[in-house]
Amino acid sequence: MDNLLRRDYLDGVDSLAEFLQYNFTVPCNGVKGKNQIDCSFSDLCSGQCNDNQVIPLFNLIYRNASSRLHPNFRLTYPTMHLYNDEYYVGEHFAGVKIDPKTNVISRVKVVVLYFRTDRQTPQISSVINEWERSLFDYVAHFNHPTLNMTLNSDAMIAREVRTNGLSCVPYFGASVIAVVLFIFATNQREHFVMSHNIVMAILGIAGPLMAVGTTFGFLFLFGFPFNSITLVMPFLIIGVGCDDVFIIIHAMRKTDKRESLENQIAETMEEAGPSITVTSATNILSFAIGIATPTPAISLFCLYTCIAVAVDFVYQLTFFVAVLVFEEKRLEAMRLSKKQEKVEEALGAPKQVLSIQNSIRSTAGAHPLPANPDGIVSRYCRFLKDWRTRVALLLILSGYWTASYYGCKTMEIKMDTTNLIMKDSPLNNIAWIYERFLWSEGQLVLVFVNNPPDLANEHNQHEVLELVRRFETLPYSMGRNSTSIWLRSFLYQSSLYHNTKGFNGLLQEWLDDSEGGGARWNDMLRLKKAENGTILGVDKFMFATACAMGDDANWATREKLQKQWRGVAHEYAHFNVTVFQSYSFYIDQLDSIGGTTMSTVIWAAITMDLACLLMIPGINSILTSTIAMMSINVGVFGLLSVWNVNLDPITMCTTLMSIGFSVDFTAHISYHYYRNPTSWTTDERLADALKSIGWPMIQAATSTVLCIVPLMFNSSYMVWVFVKTILLVTVLGILHGIIFLPALLLTSGDLSRLFGGSSDSKIQPEKKEKLGEISQASSFSSTNSETVLVKKDDSTELKTIPQERGSG
């Protein structure tokens, strides 16, 4: 990082360029015939094959002090002049300092060597790939007394991005173990044996693992590509799959064990089925919308995740429920072995009444009583119903929404290649050099003229040169001195020729002149030729000019410049002008990602509402869950910005993920609230909903966090964006599901009753609800009675006693 123009340093760079061009070899594998065993880059490349020719030329002149001041040798920047020819050095030299007295380059901190070629055949391409891989290894072990060297290429970027994704793999086992232990720990009950907890923990994780394997195998079978970002998907599926497991297990616990196993399973799926269906459907739809995004990496991630969620849903309904049946049969056998002992204990005991909750299906549509009014859940709901509590929550939400809005407004759209690689990747050095030197001091803009006019016409020549001048006078342009265009050089040097052959004939002679002519320009134009090889005209050509952004070198400036370049190209549409810059594809993503993210989020939100509406056809429930879902997503997006996350394709992936996951926390509560009788008070309906689904929701949220806890030890930016998003959507989701959404449901219900309506607009029976009658247009109801075991004299009988509901 000092002056590379010192004699030993510049000689070292010159020797290194020559070695890599001609002497760094790999096995030819027969592409150059049987007689040539090893191939260098010069053997494999096509065209001029020497992008680095300015290095030995510059070194030859610079090492001689008198040559530096020779009038025919002007070592200026960004273009050096040798006699009547020009050589652009701006893309090779960076960290340049100019001698103010002589206007000659006096210092260079960075020298860039380029090795560029077409891949002529698959065989040659394979050898070039091997040459490139050998170069990676050479650079990694490069040891020189005066020089540092680092390397960048498309293959290097692909390798480092792949390494970044693969860094997740070692943490997957820890996530699986953590979730298994959590399922085991939270499913312990006094009436369950230890072996049952172990079986449920193992089988609970088996379904999501099978879904992950099925998804990868299925998509690989049909030829879909692999992208390292898809390796985050298994962590998400473990979380989603275990959510369903908790709900199914919780529903199975609530069944009456005196019923047949078929009825128990039917009751379980009636209870759990709608919840896991609506959340799976919304997750599938959310990621399905993401498949249509124009960014390939996002589309591929959404495809893998969408298929995995769908497969996991099928496995939960088939595999997990099936193994649950076998497990229940095993437990039933254990219960039968102890039945006689329990009966004897009951016969010898004093008269007692045992309250047993009957099954949904066994009570012919009757609905249970509200939750115990003295229970902690009921007291919590009454606390939420207090107007002071709701005012306090509104103030808290106002502050939360303000912070989220601020984060959304200040989120910066930014592309940074270092976000795709590990912190210890060698590409971080390259990124620093690009940001510090190459992009700020000078970058080439390549302009392709695909339909040029007849350049033998002088008017057309002036029009093309005017096009070049327009690019040279744009903001941040380095001007005419940075432009490389064959036409100027040809028109200037053509005056040195005896022009008796016309424009095309002279052009052919000039391009064939390797001494003082234009042979080096051959790669920058394509000619129209007759069958005999004579030139008929110019078919297409390209030119290059440079821009230097200085201290304004950032993505916003690059985006602005690219729009200006394309604007000029559009003005010359009759020439079919296109523009390319090395970061053009990044800019194109930046230009589209804001609008794409917004449209995708809107469509995903609408789809979520429609999916919920099919399962929860109640106006108030849908409105409140929609508000809660929007609140969660705005919070996730805004707080990600506050947490130093920029808007890029990775963030867009996580945004789609958060939309799907946010429904999990709102749909469960809204559905269970909706299904309760409208004759109940709002706090009774809410208490019953929280009692039914609150604990499984907390279990699901905790297991989801446990899935990504091991990833916190990964230093990858990409992984950390997913970690941050899952943490935010889980924490905000559980807060909304347990606190804010219940308060909103209570408020909505009270307002509906105040204005004379039902708290949910659904079909009501004409007659006043009576005990034991169906109180809602829903098949999801359970008992309104208690079964008691009463001892009479020497016998014991089961008796069903109707339960009168109190006045409120």
Side-chain angles (χ1 to χ4, degrees):
M1 298 309 298
D2 204 340
N3 193 356
L4 288 174
L5 298 185
R6 289 173 290 177
R7 181 65 177 269
D8 292 344
Y9 291 78
L10 191 55
D11 285 345
V13 173
D14 193 357
S15 299
L16 182 62
E18 183 178 2
F19 169 74
L20 295 177
Q21 183 79 22
Y22 301 105
N23 300 319
F24 184 74
T25 61
V26 294
C28 290
N29 295 333
V31 297
K32 289 295 181 179
K34 296 181 180 180
N35 296 328
Q36 189 168 347
I37 299 175
D38 294 326
C39 289
S40 66
F41 182 80
S42 62
D43 297 323
L44 298 170
C45 73
S46 62
Q48 294 296 309
C49 290
N50 195 355
D51 287 310
N52 304 311
Q53 61 181 325
V54 299
I55 304 298
L57 289 174
F58 186 92
N59 187 27
L60 181 64
I61 298 170
Y62 190 84
R63 67 171 56 186
N64 190 318
S66 61
S67 298
R68 298 180 207 170
L69 302 178
H70 195 284
N72 290 328
F73 305 143
R74 289 175 289 159
L75 303 183
T76 53
Y77 183 84
T79 301
M80 70 176 186
H81 303 264
L82 306 183
Y83 293 101
N84 296 317
D85 215 345
E86 299 176 345
Y87 294 86
Y88 181 73
V89 297
E91 69 171 347
H92 291 282
F93 295 159
V96 175
K97 184 177 180 180
I98 306 297
D99 189 329
K101 296 180 181 179
T102 61
N103 204 33
V104 172
I105 297 174
S106 62
R107 187 197 69 190
V108 172
K109 284 191 171 185
V110 179
V111 175
V112 185
L113 305 178
Y114 293 92
F115 298 90
R116 296 179 284 215
T117 182
D118 294 329
R119 298 175 180 268
Q120 304 161 64
T121 66
Q123 293 76 20
I124 291 179
S125 177
S126 176
V127 179
I128 289 175
N129 289 339
E130 181 59 33
W131 185 89
E132 190 174 9
R133 285 191 292 268
S134 299
L135 185 58
F136 294 163
D137 186 65
Y138 177 78
V139 171
H141 298 90
F142 182 72
N143 188 12
H144 193 278
T146 56
L147 300 177
N148 276 329
M149 179 166 62
T150 187
L151 177 145
N152 182 35
S153 73
D154 289 344
M156 170 68 86
I157 294 174
R159 188 183 76 170
E160 293 300 308
V161 170
R162 188 163 53 250
T163 301
N164 185 23
L166 292 173
S167 67
C168 300
V169 175
Y171 300 96
F172 187 64
S175 294
V176 171
I177 293 172
V179 174
V180 168
L181 293 176
F182 180 75
I183 297 175
F184 172 79
T186 57
N187 279 316
Q188 291 198 44
R189 290 293 186 272
E190 63 280 355
H191 56 284
F192 279 157
V193 294
M194 180 68 69
S195 62
H196 175 73
N197 297 330
I198 296 174
V199 170
M200 285 294 96
I202 295 174
L203 295 178
I205 202 72
L209 290 176
M210 291 165 56
V212 171
T214 302
T215 300
F216 278 117
F218 180 80
L219 292 177
F220 290 164
L221 178 66
F222 286 90
F224 286 93
F226 170 79
N227 189 297
S228 60
I229 197 174
T230 59
L231 290 175
V232 179
M233 177 269 288
F235 294 88
L236 306 182
I237 300 306
I238 294 297
V240 171
C242 289
D243 294 356
D244 297 341
V245 167
F246 290 124
I247 294 173
I248 293 173
I249 292 176
H250 187 73
M252 188 67 184
R253 279 215 185 97
K254 295 167 62 179
T255 60
D256 185 353
K257 300 308 175 186
R258 294 169 301 132
E259 292 284 338
S260 67
L261 187 55
E262 290 82 358
N263 282 344
Q264 291 181 49
I265 292 298
E267 179 185 346
T268 297
M269 298 317 295
E270 285 182 359
E271 174 78 10
S275 290
I276 65 175
T277 300
V278 70
T279 54
S280 297
T282 52
N283 283 323
I284 292 169
L285 290 172
S286 177
F287 288 111
I289 290 173
I291 297 173
T293 57
T295 305
I298 298 176
S299 178
L300 197 62
F301 170 80
C302 291
L303 173 65
Y304 274 80
T305 311
C306 177
I307 298 295
V309 173
V311 172
D312 176 70
F313 175 65
V314 173
Y315 281 149
Q316 296 299 341
L317 296 183
T318 55
F319 168 77
F320 183 71
V321 175
V323 297
L324 190 61
V325 170
F326 281 103
E327 179 62 11
E328 287 296 321
K329 286 182 177 180
R330 188 179 71 87
L331 291 176
E332 180 64 21
M334 295 178 64
R335 282 195 291 265
L336 288 175
S337 66
K338 298 180 180 180
K339 182 177 181 181
Q340 185 62 37
E341 179 182 350
K342 292 183 177 180
V343 171
E344 291 175 355
E345 291 178 357
L347 291 174
K351 181 179 177 181
Q352 55 184 321
V353 177
L354 304 177
S355 176
I356 302 173
Q357 181 179 357
N358 288 335
S359 70
I360 293 173
R361 298 167 60 85
S362 65
T363 54
H367 205 283
L369 290 175
N372 181 2
D374 296 323
I376 186 171
V377 176
S378 298
R379 292 201 300 269
Y380 171 71
C381 293
R382 288 197 296 272
F383 170 74
L384 287 180
K385 197 171 185 180
D386 188 286
W387 69 269
R388 290 164 295 189
T389 303
R390 283 185 275 181
V391 169
L393 289 177
L394 179 61
L395 294 176
I396 294 173
L397 274 176
S398 299
Y400 159 74
W401 288 333
T402 302
S404 301
Y405 175 77
Y406 170 79
C408 293
K409 289 286 289 183
T410 57
M411 177 170 273
E412 181 182 0
I413 301 176
K414 183 178 180 181
M415 291 290 296
D416 191 344
T417 52
T418 59
N419 291 343
L420 302 175
I421 58 179
M422 301 294 289
K423 289 185 177 180
D424 58 352
S425 170
L427 285 182
N428 285 298
N429 295 332
I430 287 290
W432 185 83
I433 291 171
Y434 268 92
E435 291 286 350
R436 177 65 180 82
F437 296 107
L438 302 182
W439 282 341
S440 61
E441 295 186 9
Q443 276 282 284
L444 280 181
V445 183
L446 305 180
V447 183
F448 297 83
V449 182
N450 299 295
N451 184 34
D454 180 9
L455 293 176
N457 185 303
E458 186 175 351
H459 172 75
N460 292 338
Q461 295 172 10
H462 286 301
E463 189 175 8
V464 168
L465 292 177
E466 175 61 19
L467 165 65
V468 177
R469 190 196 67 80
R470 290 288 304 279
F471 279 94
E472 292 172 342
T473 55
L474 288 174
Y476 300 103
S477 172
M478 298 182 73
R480 176 170 178 157
N481 195 37
S482 69
T483 302
S484 298
I485 180 169
W486 64 273
L487 184 58
R488 276 185 186 153
S489 183
F490 171 71
L491 293 177
Y492 175 76
Q493 294 188 32
S494 63
S495 60
L496 304 178
Y497 290 78
H498 297 290
N499 192 357
T500 59
K501 301 180 180 179
F503 181 91
N504 291 332
L506 187 58
L507 178 61
Q508 185 167 20
E509 182 179 344
W510 181 70
L511 290 173
D512 292 337
D513 185 357
S514 59
E515 294 295 329
R520 72 185 185 90
W521 295 101
N522 275 292
D523 281 347
M524 298 191 74
L525 69 164
R526 297 289 180 265
L527 304 172
K528 298 175 185 176
K529 293 186 177 182
E531 292 182 0
N532 60 5
T534 58
I535 296 177
L536 301 178
V538 178
D539 184 47
K540 57 186 69 176
F541 68 89
M542 61 173 288
F543 66 90
T545 188
C547 65
M549 292 173 278
D551 295 335
D552 295 333
N554 54 54
W555 287 105
T557 304
R558 293 169 200 141
E559 183 180 10
K560 178 181 176 182
L561 276 176
Q562 180 158 290
K563 288 181 178 179
Q564 292 175 339
W565 297 332
R566 290 179 174 174
V568 173
H570 182 71
E571 293 179 26
Y572 289 83
H574 54 291
F575 290 164
N576 190 11
V577 179
T578 55
V579 179
F580 174 78
Q581 222 287 332
S582 59
Y583 48 72
S584 290
F585 67 99
Y586 287 115
I587 297 297
D588 286 336
Q589 291 191 50
L590 278 177
D591 200 31
S592 64
I593 197 168
T596 301
T597 301
M598 183 61 67
S599 61
T600 303
V601 166
I602 291 173
W603 278 109
I606 293 173
T607 306
M608 300 304 98
D609 286 341
L610 292 176
C612 291
L613 183 61
L614 293 176
M615 303 299 296
I616 316 171
I619 296 175
N620 282 355
S621 294
I622 288 296
L623 288 177
T624 51
S625 62
T626 299
I627 293 172
M629 184 177 67
M630 291 175 59
S631 177
I632 293 171
N633 285 292
V634 170
V636 170
F637 199 73
L639 295 181
L640 279 176
S641 175
V642 176
W643 208 347
N644 299 320
V645 174
N646 299 311
L647 179 57
D648 55 25
I650 299 174
T651 311
M652 186 175 176
C653 282
T654 60
T655 301
L656 288 170
M657 179 183 70
S658 70
I659 292 173
F661 284 11
S662 65
V663 180
D664 296 0
F665 298 99
T666 57
H668 291 316
I669 294 295
S670 295
Y671 165 71
H672 283 82
Y673 178 86
Y674 159 80
R675 73 173 194 168
N676 285 327
T678 55
S679 59
W680 289 6
T681 62
T682 53
D683 55 310
E684 288 174 339
R685 297 178 68 187
L686 181 59
D688 186 82
L690 289 174
K691 189 176 180 182
S692 298
I693 200 66
W695 174 238
M697 278 179 56
I698 295 173
Q699 284 180 299
T702 308
S703 67
T704 302
V705 172
L706 286 175
C707 283
I708 52 97
V709 164
L711 291 178
M712 294 180 181
F713 297 96
N714 192 312
S715 62
S716 167
Y717 170 85
M718 178 185 75
V719 172
W720 263 100
V721 171
F722 278 94
V723 169
K724 291 177 180 179
T725 304
I726 292 175
L727 285 175
L728 284 175
V729 75
T730 303
V731 172
L732 294 177
I734 204 67
L735 288 175
H736 280 74
I738 301 298
I739 301 176
F740 297 122
L741 178 59
L744 192 58
L745 285 168
L746 291 172
T747 304
S748 172
D750 290 346
L751 289 175
S752 297
R753 291 179 184 274
L754 180 65
F755 291 103
S758 166
S759 62
D760 259 311
S761 297
K762 56 185 179 182
I763 301 173
Q764 299 295 322
E766 293 181 2
K767 295 187 297 181
K768 183 179 179 180
E769 180 185 330
K770 294 183 179 179
L771 186 64
E773 293 180 342
I774 298 176
S775 60
Q776 58 174 355
S778 170
S779 63
F780 306 106
S781 58
S782 51
T783 124
N784 195 32
S785 62
E786 281 190 348
T787 300
V788 296
L789 187 63
V790 183
K791 184 180 178 185
K792 291 185 176 181
D793 301 327
D794 295 329
S795 63
T796 302
E797 67 172 314
L798 289 170
K799 184 177 181 181
T800 300
I801 303 176
Q803 299 297 306
E804 298 289 344
R805 189 170 74 85
S807 59

